[in-house]
């Protein structure tokens, strides 16, 4: 199936990519590499996508926001990628099958936070700027929208745990409401 995207590029969801589509995909931060038949996503995108998915967001929404429209990438490719990343994430953070999504999210967020701190510190060292003039991102700074050192590690951990508990609570309420709906129909 071939369609036109908003930019006038002909796209074929999930099929072989044209030269024009390959160039478009290569320019996206979420894409590490692309060939005619395959997209390799950046580790950062895979981690954030998994966290957002486990938090209840739609995979197609996440991909769209990253500049990867399902009409171009393919719905099946998105579905398979997210399922593979979720399985890998669960396997990597849990020694057992008893963790719920909120606990997995908390562990994945902590891992992403450490990765961002390490990457930022390595970038600072590689820039050649003397250590004293480069602010080092503390482990409490959880993303680009948080100023460097704005949160200490303990504060970030408390926020993450609160959010994980709230997600768990909402999941229970949701399950109860679904049961009530099923009982009335």
């Amino acid at each position: 199936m071939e369609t036109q995207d908003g930019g006038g590029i002909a796209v074929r969801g999930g099929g072989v990519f044209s030269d024009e589509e390959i160039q478009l995909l290569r320019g996206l931060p979420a894409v590490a590499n692309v060939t005619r038949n395959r997209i390799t996503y950046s580790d950062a995108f895979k981690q954030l996508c998994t966290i957002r998915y486990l938090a209840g967001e739609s995979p197609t929404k996440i991909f769209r926001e990253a500049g990867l429209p399902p009409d171009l990438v393919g719905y099946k490719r998105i579905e398979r990628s997210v399922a593979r990343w979720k399985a890998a994430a669960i396997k990597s953070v849990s020694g057992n099958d008893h963790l719920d999504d909120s606990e997995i999210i908390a562990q994945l967020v902590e891992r992403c936070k450490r990765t961002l701190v390490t990457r930022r510190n390595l970038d600072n060292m590689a820039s050649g700027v003397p250590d004293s003039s480069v602010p080092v991102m503390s482990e409490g700074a959880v993303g680009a929208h948080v100023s460097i050192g704005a949160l200490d590690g303990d504060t970030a951990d408390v926020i993450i745990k609160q959010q994980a508990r709230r997600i768990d609570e909402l999941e229970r309420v949701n399950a109860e409401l679904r049961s009530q709906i099923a009982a009335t129909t």
Side-chain angles (χ1 to χ4, degrees):
M1 176 180 82
E2 189 167 302
T3 61
Q4 292 284 327
D5 76 353
I9 298 173
V11 293
R12 295 169 301 285
V16 176
F17 299 113
S18 69
D19 291 337
E20 191 175 42
E21 291 166 337
I22 290 171
Q23 290 305 316
L24 173 76
L25 291 167
R26 279 194 180 138
L28 298 173
V31 176
N33 191 27
V34 64
T35 64
R36 290 235 180 261
N37 301 338
R38 184 180 190 103
I39 301 174
T40 305
Y41 301 96
S42 71
D43 289 340
F45 176 70
K46 290 190 279 189
Q47 290 173 348
L48 292 174
C49 182
T50 303
I51 291 167
R52 290 176 64 184
Y53 174 72
L54 289 171
E57 288 190 52
S58 157
T60 54
K61 176 185 176 198
I62 298 166
F63 271 67
R64 269 192 198 98
E65 289 176 359
L68 298 159
D71 292 342
L72 173 60
V73 176
Y75 288 94
K76 201 60 151 172
R77 187 179 271 140
I78 292 171
E79 179 184 310
R80 288 178 181 155
S81 294
V82 172
R84 192 172 53 250
W85 302 339
K86 177 184 174 187
I90 290 170
K91 185 177 179 182
S92 74
V93 299
S94 67
N96 57 54
D97 295 332
H98 303 295
L99 292 179
D100 63 21
D101 284 353
S102 61
E103 292 168 320
I104 294 166
I105 290 168
Q107 289 188 27
L108 290 174
V109 167
E110 186 60 35
R111 181 181 299 155
C112 286
K113 188 170 62 168
R114 285 191 306 266
T115 301
L116 289 171
V117 169
T118 301
R119 184 173 296 146
R120 173 64 186 244
N121 291 341
L122 290 172
D123 287 347
N124 288 344
M125 290 181 347
S127 70
V129 178
D131 289 343
S132 60
S133 64
V134 176
V136 176
M137 183 182 281
S138 71
E139 286 194 30
V142 293
H145 63 283
V146 177
S147 63
I148 295 172
L151 297 174
D152 63 13
D154 292 339
T155 303
D157 289 341
V158 168
I159 291 169
I160 291 167
K161 287 176 185 171
Q162 287 174 340
Q163 292 299 313
R165 279 194 297 271
R166 180 68 175 142
I167 290 168
D168 188 50
E169 175 187 338
L170 292 172
E171 287 174 342
R172 282 192 212 123
V173 170
N174 189 15
E176 185 179 316
L177 291 172
R178 286 179 190 265
S179 297
Q180 290 175 1
I181 291 170
T184 61
T185 56

